[in-house]
Amino acid sequence: MKKITLTYIGKRGAGNNYSLEMTKELLKQNCEVQCVLSKYIGNINDWKYLSKEFPTLQLLFIETYTSKIGFIYSLTSGYIKYAKVRKEIKRFNPDILYIPMLSLLNFYLLPTSIPVITTIHDVEQHLGEKSRLVKFLYNKTIKKSSKIIVLSQKFVNEVHQKYNIEKKNISLIPHACFKSYLPANYTPDFQSIHKRILFFGRIYPYKGLEVLLQALVYIRRNIPDIQLRIAGNGDISNKEKHLIAQLKDNIDLHIEWIKDKDIEKIIKDVDMVILPYIEASQSGVIPLSYSFGKMVIATDVGGLSEQIYDNTGFLIRPNDINELVNLITSLYKTPNIIIEKNKNAFYVAHNILTWEHSASTLLSVIK
């Protein structure tokens, strides 16, 4: 039986459920698991429920921060502040300390005698997210890691070159599909075409929302009643605001942090999800879309091409408005293709990109 300490001290976002799903599957595979989590984690009730389902699960909720002042205090006093947590980890005596997603203060929780496996979701910071402090803090954790997990094969060489880590210590575990957002016995409606497309997730310049809005100007000439749903938190540029105003009759706008309980209603009645990214590492939006049985159109950047499985969507060139216009227009002329790809996406989510496979691969890395 493997003993694993999982540390994730973020508060919200995909990391919450990524950590939860991996923990759940490790427990199912008879691992003894200790989890160190922020007391402010957004899905705390799910963790408490999991500990009732698996009484061997040990949960440690620690004080992190909720403001910039709190972050500065935690950063400057973290070694002392988290000393008790490090002692608890040593007392648990895990075979490995596993970090499923980097958090800013992770490095304070790493006892020197325990090997560390860290999953790197983004090898490089994206446009609009770059911060020297974030890079510095993440690198402190990565340098203490004995093994690295990447989500796309493309980034094995980049991690090897950037961090001087031997390739034998870099492993691939593709992003599994989130199922915790699905209601019990969820069954997609594969017969209805809603003429609604979705842009989902945090809004940053590298996500290419402006490209999609420019494409919509032309798409609606052929499909006047098409709807673009934009759902996510972030900053919309002045150009994007102008386009949204111009396209207001074709826009369904939700500029806010989308709560877990609201994700189903955001996704379930769209025909497809669009990722017009200008740059990328990989995207959790793709496996999330597959979970709900939604095909994906994504740009061929970063590791996105590895996530678009056969017959689950399309890859297009970045910044190519004409290609995006032509593809979406043609799909609505042949809706049977949309239905077919949505069915295939749902199959991939529930039979290939599973947490069972991810946890099994992680355990093989530990061996």
Side-chain angles (χ1 to χ4, degrees):
M1 178 186 294
K2 292 293 182 183
K3 296 182 70 175
I4 299 170
T5 292
L6 180 149
T7 69
Y8 176 72
I9 51 176
K11 298 191 292 293
R12 61 182 188 177
N16 293 3
N17 282 300
Y18 190 100
S19 303
L20 179 71
E21 295 278 16
M22 186 66 90
T23 299
K24 188 183 300 183
E25 191 55 48
L26 289 170
L27 290 164
K28 288 180 180 179
Q29 297 192 27
N30 298 316
C31 294
E32 190 174 348
V33 184
Q34 175 191 60
C35 291
V36 181
L37 308 164
S38 169
K39 66 181 293 186
Y40 306 114
I41 194 167
N43 60 345
I44 190 169
N45 290 332
D46 293 328
W47 286 97
K48 290 179 179 178
Y49 180 83
L50 186 64
S51 68
K52 292 180 181 178
E53 184 181 358
F54 295 92
T56 59
L57 172 61
Q58 295 185 29
L59 297 180
L60 296 177
F61 293 107
I62 64 174
E63 185 82 29
T64 50
Y65 55 89
T66 58
S67 65
K68 289 183 179 179
I69 293 176
F71 168 70
I72 293 171
Y73 172 74
S74 294
L75 182 60
T76 54
S77 63
Y79 191 78
I80 297 172
K81 182 178 179 180
Y82 297 127
K84 290 183 179 180
V85 180
R86 291 194 300 274
K87 288 182 181 179
E88 287 296 322
I89 294 173
K90 284 185 178 181
R91 187 176 292 115
F92 182 69
N93 191 29
D95 298 299
I96 199 78
L97 190 145
Y98 167 55
I99 301 173
M101 179 180 281
L102 285 163
S103 304
L104 293 176
L105 302 178
N106 264 134
F107 65 94
Y108 281 134
L109 301 173
L110 308 182
T112 55
S113 59
I114 300 171
V116 177
I117 295 179
T118 297
T119 298
I120 300 179
H121 288 245
D122 296 310
V123 180
E124 296 289 347
Q125 292 178 307
H126 297 298
L127 182 65
E129 293 183 308
K130 293 183 179 180
S131 163
R132 290 182 180 180
L133 178 59
V134 170
K135 181 178 180 180
F136 172 75
L137 295 177
Y138 282 1
N139 285 353
K140 285 178 71 68
T141 297
I142 293 169
K143 288 177 181 178
K144 290 186 177 183
S145 301
S146 53
K147 294 185 179 181
I148 296 294
I149 303 294
V150 294
L151 305 181
S152 301
Q153 183 66 41
K154 173 182 173 64
F155 295 106
V156 171
N157 283 333
E158 290 194 27
V159 169
H160 165 66
Q161 293 170 4
K162 183 174 181 178
Y163 298 107
N164 195 29
I165 297 171
E166 293 185 55
K167 288 186 179 180
K168 67 179 183 179
N169 292 324
I170 306 171
S171 299
L172 169 67
I173 302 181
H175 199 312
C177 290
F178 292 120
K179 296 179 184 176
S180 56
Y181 299 115
L182 299 174
N185 302 316
Y186 175 80
T187 303
D189 175 11
F190 288 126
Q191 302 307 314
S192 300
I193 296 295
H194 304 278
K195 293 187 181 178
R196 185 178 294 112
I197 61 179
L198 175 64
F199 176 98
F200 182 82
R202 294 180 303 164
I203 300 172
Y204 284 107
Y206 79 90
K207 295 287 188 74
L209 176 58
E210 182 181 328
V211 175
L212 179 54
L213 289 167
Q214 289 175 335
L216 188 63
V217 172
Y218 298 97
I219 294 170
R220 71 172 183 172
R221 294 178 182 178
N222 296 306
I223 313 171
D225 54 346
I226 193 167
Q227 287 283 311
L228 167 60
R229 178 173 290 160
I230 302 170
N233 190 43
D235 296 322
I236 297 179
S237 69
N238 289 332
K239 181 64 179 296
E240 289 164 349
K241 289 178 181 177
H242 174 77
L243 286 165
I244 288 170
Q246 178 184 343
L247 295 160
K248 61 181 181 179
D249 292 337
N250 300 88
I251 298 289
D252 178 20
L253 202 58
H254 302 263
I255 305 303
E256 59 190 349
W257 188 270
I258 307 300
K259 297 178 181 178
D260 289 358
K261 65 182 182 66
D262 295 328
I263 288 178
E264 180 197 359
K265 69 180 182 182
I266 289 291
I267 298 181
K268 70 177 183 179
D269 61 347
V270 303
D271 302 317
M272 65 191 76
V273 179
I274 316 296
L275 279 65
Y277 293 2
I278 297 168
E279 60 179 60
S281 297
Q282 50 74 45
S283 175
V285 174
I286 295 176
L288 175 63
S289 303
Y290 289 173
S291 296
F292 283 91
K294 306 301 177 183
M295 62 164 284
V296 174
I297 296 175
T299 47
D300 191 1
V301 293
L304 298 188
S305 62
E306 296 178 39
Q307 293 186 276
I308 304 297
Y309 280 64
D310 290 344
N311 215 18
T312 60
F314 294 92
L315 287 167
I316 61 173
R317 293 180 293 273
N319 287 308
D320 195 326
I321 295 171
N322 288 333
E323 186 176 14
L324 187 55
V325 170
N326 293 335
L327 176 56
I328 292 175
T329 301
S330 67
L331 283 170
Y332 278 108
K333 290 180 179 178
T334 52
N336 59 301
I337 295 177
I338 299 174
I339 293 170
E340 178 188 5
K341 290 190 179 297
N342 284 345
K343 288 179 178 179
N344 288 329
F346 192 71
Y347 177 84
V348 166
H350 296 270
N351 294 278
I352 298 175
L353 295 178
T354 65
W355 291 101
E356 179 182 5
H357 177 264
S358 293
S360 297
T361 306
L362 177 65
L363 292 175
S364 71
V365 171
I366 294 174
K367 292 177 184 178

